Amino acid sequence: MEPIDELVRKLVSASWRERDDIKAELLAAGKQHPDSAAVISHLENAKRGINNLEIRWEIDEVIEALTPEPDAVPEPEPEPEPEPEDPNKPLSAADLDMVYDDPRGLMLHKSKKGDRWFVTQMDPYTGQPVTQEIPPAQVEAVKAQLKGSPYWLLGSGLS
């Protein structure tokens, strides 16, 4: 490493006009050395003892030129495509829009996604509301039966 140390001392004492030539010699000496990692480590240590910031930058450029390119970073795997939603999955109250509200206890809900309809009625035995899905074949019959009723909610498009 003596030739490297000699070139670093020469770089420290050189004027700014002479630095490029000395830096080229330092780079050539580093490339000729069989262990580039040892040269880089040696230059890092030598740089610490130098107070002149411009000289440190020059040594950093040599270190950067001697540092091998990192292996190509593998591209991240593409995210799997989301599975299509099951149109018959169980829905929560947040998935439904109320479209009909009869104060006597009948409510109709339409799913926000898809075209599923649900009816909520009071169970006469328990007094608790019970919600059931209306079969697709019966939806038009229910809408026809309730047509003209004042209990369709505004904005539902069915009043």
Side-chain angles (χ1 to χ4, degrees):
M1 294 286 175
E2 187 55 39
I4 303 285
D5 288 335
E6 180 61 34
L7 287 169
V8 169
R9 282 192 290 274
K10 200 172 168 182
L11 185 64
V12 169
S13 63
S15 70
W16 65 272
R17 291 185 186 127
E18 300 168 325
R19 288 183 192 158
D20 285 339
D21 294 334
I22 298 169
K23 189 168 66 170
E25 287 179 51
L26 186 58
L27 182 59
K31 286 184 177 180
Q32 290 175 353
H33 198 278
D35 188 6
S36 63
V39 173
I40 291 170
S41 175
H42 190 74
L43 286 174
E44 288 284 350
N45 289 333
K47 180 178 76 166
R48 289 190 187 113
I50 299 172
N51 291 333
N52 186 332
L53 189 57
E54 290 178 1
I55 302 297
R56 292 175 71 150
W57 289 341
E58 299 289 348
I59 294 173
D60 280 339
E61 288 180 18
V62 173
I63 291 171
E64 192 174 299
L66 290 174
T67 304
E69 291 289 322
D71 291 335
V73 177
E75 291 185 26
E77 292 183 23
E79 292 184 23
E81 301 226 2
E83 295 180 18
E85 287 190 36
D86 179 14
N88 297 319
K89 73 173 185 166
L91 300 176
S92 68
D95 297 325
L96 301 175
D97 285 328
M98 187 181 304
V99 293
Y100 184 88
D101 188 11
D102 187 334
R104 295 173 285 188
L106 177 69
M107 293 178 275
L108 292 179
H109 306 274
K110 184 179 181 311
S111 62
K112 291 180 180 177
K113 291 183 181 178
D115 195 29
R116 296 170 66 186
W117 286 75
F118 296 84
V119 62
T120 302
Q121 294 177 296
M122 291 296 175
D123 184 338
Y125 299 108
T126 63
Q128 299 295 315
V130 177
T131 302
Q132 298 175 335
E133 185 168 2
I134 302 172
Q138 295 178 4
V139 170
E140 289 304 318
V142 171
K143 287 199 279 184
Q145 187 176 4
L146 297 174
K147 186 174 182 170
S149 172
Y151 301 115
W152 286 102
L153 298 180
L154 292 176
S156 66
L158 301 168
S159 52

